[in-house]
Amino acid sequence: GALYLGRRAHPRDDVEAAAALFGALGGRRIDGVEFELKPLRTGECVLVAHGAASHAVSDTDALFSHLHPWLRPRAQADAADYGAAADLAVTLERWLLESRRILDEHSVNHQRRGAGVPGLDIPVTKWASWLDPAMPDFQAHIGLGGAAVTDSALYRGLARVLGMAHRDLVYDGGDAAGDMTARLRCAEQLLADADFVHVHVKATDEAGHAKRPELKRDVIAATDSGLAGLLELANRAIIAVTGDHATPSVGSLLHSGDPTPLLVAGPGIHPDSIRHFGERHALGGALGRLAAADILPLLTGFANRPFFLGHRPGPRQTLALPNAPEPMPINASHGEPDE
């Protein structure tokens, strides 16, 4: 009575097939909710539920398919409006089951099965969310002007939502070293007007998920050679190199709980005794084990821009000392203060 997920759409081989299948799913209305699909990359879309009164529903994407089957959407227990969340869960379930029937009967999947290729016939959802228009942008929240070098719709979207200047370079699966070099070149250009630049690298992530250990090794080595420009950049900026997750080289596990190494270098930073960059070596580093939320405060401290506890240079507390808090107006029209 449960369905386990298999192969996902390939980012390059399944471009036309995925586009045709997504095209067959759009423009449907269920229980007063109109569903719209906005394409991201091959096999992925943003699913917009116009008219839904809550976004607090669980994922249907098992993600770790060796553990869980295709999941049923459920209202989140801590939903602000549990009734509205439960209504959306029922509506989303109907949309997904109906979508599965549409995909299963689509000519693209008939052709794929006839050619001995697995069908792309199971729609899954994850990361239900709602964008708060009152959410502060990066500079208001952190205190620094932010920018990004992106490589996917996800990071382009984050940059736009957070008001960060960005350059998008799409990795084509080829020269990983040249790709990394180009990203650093963009980062240096963005640093002319920004205080913080996030550089996203997709090549290593794709290689990790390919479950081909030799490919993963070779792409990491090539990406490493493309990082040579960081040595010069570290003479005038604080740099950090890390990954967002570990990926086992075999098996179906997409991400694992193993810690990822972190390297920080820059003017005034005292080196520790570690001379190699890797998981086992990093365990002995001076920074110890950090959570992701610790990294930006750490970097602002190394840049001598930490927010001073109790200091109030503006309307909100930020991670770093803000760039341009509003100055006192001192033009003549205000007159002189009373004695």
Side-chain angles (χ1 to χ4, degrees):
L3 185 67
Y4 280 80
L5 306 177
R7 177 185 180 279
R8 294 174 185 258
H10 189 275
R12 276 174 276 277
D13 297 344
D14 297 325
V15 174
E16 293 183 4
L21 293 169
F22 276 133
L25 298 182
R28 285 147 54 214
R29 188 179 185 89
I30 298 176
D31 298 335
V33 177
E34 184 175 351
F35 289 92
E36 179 187 7
L37 291 157
K38 294 181 178 291
L40 295 176
R41 57 181 184 176
T42 301
E44 295 184 358
C45 282
V46 171
L47 178 64
V48 185
H50 297 285
S54 174
H55 67 281
V57 294
S58 61
D59 294 350
T60 65
D61 188 346
L63 200 58
F64 303 112
S65 56
H66 67 296
L67 293 176
H68 302 138
W70 189 24
L71 301 172
R72 188 178 194 179
R74 301 293 303 275
Q76 294 287 342
D78 58 353
D81 185 337
Y82 187 84
D87 288 343
L88 179 59
V90 171
T91 301
L92 180 59
E93 180 177 327
R94 286 187 57 195
W95 186 88
L96 289 166
L97 291 173
E98 191 177 288
S99 295
R100 186 201 174 196
R101 178 186 57 78
I102 293 171
L103 295 176
D104 185 59
E105 297 173 356
H106 199 284
S107 59
V108 166
N109 280 322
H110 284 302
Q111 293 167 6
R112 290 175 69 91
R113 296 187 192 102
V117 179
L120 299 172
D121 52 11
I122 306 299
V124 295
T125 54
K126 58 187 176 184
W127 307 342
S129 59
W130 174 73
L131 290 179
D132 184 352
M135 180 177 65
D137 63 17
F138 184 90
Q139 179 148 349
H141 185 63
I142 304 299
L144 302 175
V149 181
T150 62
D151 187 19
S152 70
L154 172 64
Y155 285 95
R156 287 197 302 273
L158 284 173
R160 288 172 182 153
V161 166
L162 295 175
M164 301 170 74
H166 67 281
R167 305 269 184 88
D168 193 57
L169 300 180
V170 178
Y171 176 61
D172 61 5
D175 180 11
D179 176 76
M180 188 71 254
T181 299
R183 291 179 190 283
L184 289 186
R185 191 179 304 120
C186 279
E188 291 198 62
Q189 293 167 357
L190 288 168
L191 277 172
D193 299 306
D195 306 291
F196 171 86
V197 179
H198 175 251
V199 180
H200 176 231
V201 185
K202 192 65 181 173
T204 48
D205 185 66
E206 283 193 7
H209 289 309
K211 302 299 182 180
R212 293 165 53 192
E214 295 82 5
L215 172 67
K216 181 178 178 179
R217 176 201 61 202
D218 293 345
V219 170
I220 289 174
T223 302
D224 181 54
S225 67
L227 288 171
L230 283 181
L231 292 173
E232 189 280 328
L233 185 59
N235 290 322
R236 52 192 176 87
I238 304 298
I239 63 167
V241 178
T242 190
D244 59 339
H245 61 80
T247 303
S249 295
V250 296
S252 63
L253 193 65
L254 297 178
H255 301 170
S256 70
D258 301 287
T260 58
L262 166 69
L263 177 148
V264 182
I269 294 182
H270 300 293
D272 56 22
S273 60
I274 306 303
R275 292 293 176 267
H276 300 278
F277 186 66
E279 286 85 345
R280 284 178 294 180
H281 303 101
L283 288 172
L287 295 177
R289 184 172 293 190
L290 302 170
D294 298 328
I295 294 178
L296 262 181
L298 178 80
L299 299 182
T300 62
F302 281 136
N304 294 322
R305 291 287 296 276
F307 195 94
F308 182 72
L309 187 62
H311 188 38
R312 295 291 182 269
R316 56 185 300 131
Q317 182 170 323
T318 53
L319 281 181
L321 285 175
N323 271 343
E326 187 175 359
M328 180 71 75
I330 54 172
N331 56 54
S333 62
H334 286 286
E336 296 295 327
D338 295 334
E339 293 184 0

